[in-house]
């Protein structure tokens, strides 16, 4: 069963129902309009969801729905009933503070394939390779080996050199899970825009998950 993300971009600003100078959180954009519905690598990295092997220290855990969430956000969350889980929120100021070079927690998270050039340098072929060719080089049975736990078997940087091909155990960084030009780029763009007007601490993403 798949896991989807739901939520809203919120901005803390004035609205017609408020007194002059008063601010409250308003739902600005429905997250479903921005795209990242089943990005499991990002779910794990950002929110600790769909991370069965504990690869990431989440940027924010399950904080729950904010007490001051907008009425639109509360209604959206309530509409999913018991199917909703993992509610949390991520401020734009927190996004700006993320160290995108921070590595995943285990020693290694994937096997990369390289081809050796005539001069001895390595040319990247695949960022992730779980092929039979690798299994033979590593002496494992790919049908039973749990690649989600490969960091418990090999340290980052471990290599298998077959001559023309080199396999290397590598460790993801946050930018690998949430690339700058990936499906979360529209979300960051939408968060950034009102922050330029209202301030970094007055824009946030409120999310929850459902299966």
């Amino acid at each position: 069963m798949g896991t989807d993300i739901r939520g809203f971009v919120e901005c803390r600003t004035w609205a017609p129902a408020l007194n002059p100078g008063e601010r409250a959180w308003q739902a600005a954009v429905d997250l479903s309009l921005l795209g990242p519905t089943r990005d499991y690598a990002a779910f794990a990295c950002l929110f600790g969801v769909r991370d069965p092997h504990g690869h990431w220290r989440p940027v924010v855990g399950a904080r729950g729905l904010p007490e001051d969430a907008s009425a639109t956000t509360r209604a959206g969350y309530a509409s999913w009933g018991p199917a909703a889980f993992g509610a949390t929120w991520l401020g734009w100021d927190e996004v700006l503070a993320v160290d995108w070079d921070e590595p995943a927690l285990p020693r290694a998270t994937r096997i990369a394939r390289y081809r050796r050039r005539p001069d001895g340098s390595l040319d990247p072929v695949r960022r992730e390779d779980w092929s039979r060719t690798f299994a033979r080089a590593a002496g494992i049975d790919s049908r039973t080996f749990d690649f989600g736990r490969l960091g418990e078997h090999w340290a980052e940087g471990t290599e298998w050199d077959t001559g023309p091909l080199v396999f290397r155990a590598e460790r993801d960084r946050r930018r690998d899970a949430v690339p700058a030009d990936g499906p979360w780029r529209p979300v960051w763009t939408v968060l950034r825009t009102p922050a330029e007007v209202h301030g970094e601490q007055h824009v946030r993403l409120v999310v929850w998950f459902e299966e």
Side-chain angles (χ1 to χ4, degrees):
M1 183 178 294
T3 300
D4 293 313
I5 190 170
R6 311 291 179 184
F8 291 88
V9 173
E10 290 191 335
C11 181
R12 187 171 180 268
T13 185
W14 181 82
L18 301 176
N19 296 321
E22 188 178 0
R23 288 184 169 192
W25 288 99
Q26 315 291 330
V29 180
D30 190 319
L31 183 61
S32 66
L33 300 176
L34 303 178
T37 56
R38 287 192 177 182
D39 187 352
Y40 295 159
F43 293 177
C45 176
L46 296 174
F47 308 111
V49 172
R50 295 292 295 222
D51 189 15
H53 300 292
H55 283 167
W56 296 102
R57 178 185 62 80
V59 174
V60 293
R63 294 169 160 176
L65 208 67
E67 293 183 1
D68 54 1
S70 68
T72 299
T73 298
R74 289 185 175 279
Y77 177 74
S79 70
W80 288 97
F85 69 95
T88 191
W89 54 273
L90 176 63
W92 177 238
D93 53 343
E94 294 175 305
V95 176
L96 294 177
V98 172
D99 177 5
W100 297 106
D101 290 319
E102 182 181 350
L105 294 177
R107 294 182 300 168
T109 55
R110 57 186 165 84
I111 301 296
R113 175 190 286 210
Y114 297 86
R115 188 178 304 278
R116 190 177 299 282
R117 300 190 183 100
D119 64 1
S121 61
L122 298 179
D123 183 27
V125 177
R126 293 181 184 173
R127 182 174 172 274
E128 294 190 38
D129 191 314
W130 312 125
S131 64
R132 292 181 180 178
T133 304
F134 165 69
R136 288 194 295 270
I140 62 172
D141 185 343
S142 60
R143 296 170 298 179
T144 59
F145 187 82
D146 184 355
F147 284 100
R149 307 180 72 89
L150 67 89
E152 299 176 12
H153 298 272
W154 304 303
E156 180 183 15
T158 302
E159 291 188 354
W160 298 263
D161 192 335
T162 68
L165 297 176
V166 174
F167 298 93
R168 178 184 295 161
E170 296 185 343
R171 191 177 182 189
D172 281 329
R173 268 57 182 173
R174 289 198 188 276
R175 68 177 64 259
D176 296 315
V178 191
D181 59 350
W184 284 78
R185 181 178 179 180
V187 180
W188 305 149
T189 299
V190 169
L191 286 165
R192 181 184 300 109
T193 301
E196 293 176 353
V197 178
H198 302 284
E200 297 169 0
Q201 72 276 24
H202 297 300
V203 179
R204 69 188 179 190
L205 176 65
V206 181
V207 302
W208 59 91
F209 299 85
E210 55 89 13
E211 295 180 339

